[in-house]
Amino acid sequence: MKRFFSSVFVAIACCMALSAGNKQEENNGNWLLMSGYGYSVMLGDMNGEGYSTVNSFIWQPNACWGVGLDYGMNYHNPVDYSFQENMNYQYTRRHNNFFVGPSAYWFPINTEKHRLHIGGSVNYFHTNDFNRYRDFDTNSQQYVSERCEEIIINSVGLGASLGYAYKLGEHVELGARFYTSWSQEEFHLMGLFNIGFSF
């Protein structure tokens, strides 16, 4: 974890050094919509992986910073856990969540062709865990019981974003985005393909 934070601080320092030598352009528009889709990994008590999407609607009073709203979701593929005792217990967990909240963005590089952003948000999370338990009798070689439960958790957490975009024209840009979110001791890492529209 120390290496991760050290890398983030080095990246921010490099961005600040680069932005000092880059002339910031005047905004072509005051609004920026970024939409990202990609791969997600969840770290916590029970790890999982799947896909995520994050959308950000940002108002930019100038080329260097903006405020807005982040909205996203994580869907993680079902994960099977097996436990060996007199009987085999198989536990399947399907984990989904969505989040929404206010955000602030800093654009250390925002030139005619390049845009680099660093952002943070405070989000409301709605988490849904669907759990299925199956008991397998090793003697009869069949499942003897199955039960399901659904757990819904509402919480508040944090989000952070780091991304780069190449401007294809006055109003369209393509790039990549790294987004993280933390809530209820679960940490989501998302690598996203990002498309942006300014107007």
Side-chain angles (χ1 to χ4, degrees):
M1 207 52 150
K2 288 182 181 179
R3 287 184 180 177
F4 171 75
F5 286 115
S6 298
S7 300
V8 170
F9 286 127
V10 169
I12 291 172
C14 290
C15 290
M16 293 176 70
L18 288 172
S19 64
N22 280 283
K23 181 182 177 182
Q24 299 289 316
E25 67 167 5
E26 294 298 323
N27 272 3
N28 294 325
N30 285 8
W31 296 95
L32 174 63
L33 173 63
M34 294 191 298
S35 182
Y37 179 85
Y39 177 74
S40 174
V41 175
M42 180 180 68
L43 305 175
D45 293 337
M46 293 187 176
N47 298 337
E49 60 182 19
Y51 69 85
S52 295
T53 181
V54 178
N55 300 285
S56 300
F57 191 58
I58 303 163
W59 174 63
Q60 293 180 262
N62 60 52
C64 293
W65 65 277
V67 293
L69 187 72
D70 283 2
Y71 170 82
M73 68 158 289
N74 293 289
Y75 174 83
H76 292 96
N77 300 321
V79 179
D80 292 335
Y81 302 92
S82 296
F83 304 96
Q84 300 287 334
E85 291 184 10
N86 294 332
M87 300 173 66
N88 292 331
Y89 295 85
Q90 186 185 66
Y91 163 50
T92 302
R93 181 193 192 204
R94 190 180 67 211
H95 176 87
N96 304 308
N97 75 13
F98 77 82
F99 57 89
V100 61
S103 59
Y105 283 84
W106 174 45
F107 303 97
I109 298 175
N110 191 3
T111 63
E112 185 178 351
K113 287 294 184 181
H114 308 279
R115 187 196 308 267
L116 181 73
H117 78 258
I118 299 170
S121 61
V122 178
N123 298 321
Y124 159 77
F125 286 82
H126 178 82
T127 302
N128 178 280
D129 279 332
F130 183 79
N131 303 311
R132 183 178 70 176
Y133 303 89
R134 303 178 75 184
D135 300 335
F136 185 80
D137 190 333
T138 55
N139 295 321
S140 63
Q141 295 295 308
Q142 63 182 357
Y143 289 107
V144 295
S145 68
E146 179 176 306
R147 60 194 186 278
C148 299
E149 68 175 6
E150 186 175 20
I151 301 172
I152 295 176
I153 302 170
N154 296 301
S155 61
V156 175
L158 301 174
S161 179
L162 174 66
Y164 166 80
Y166 178 79
K167 298 180 183 179
L168 300 176
E170 189 176 352
H171 300 290
V172 181
E173 59 189 49
L174 292 177
R177 186 177 188 184
F178 179 70
Y179 198 96
T180 64
S181 64
W182 175 85
S183 176
Q184 292 289 317
E185 299 182 0
E186 290 183 351
F187 190 61
H188 298 266
L189 302 173
M190 302 163 232
L192 309 171
F193 170 75
N194 200 59
I195 182 168
F197 302 95
S198 58
F199 52 93

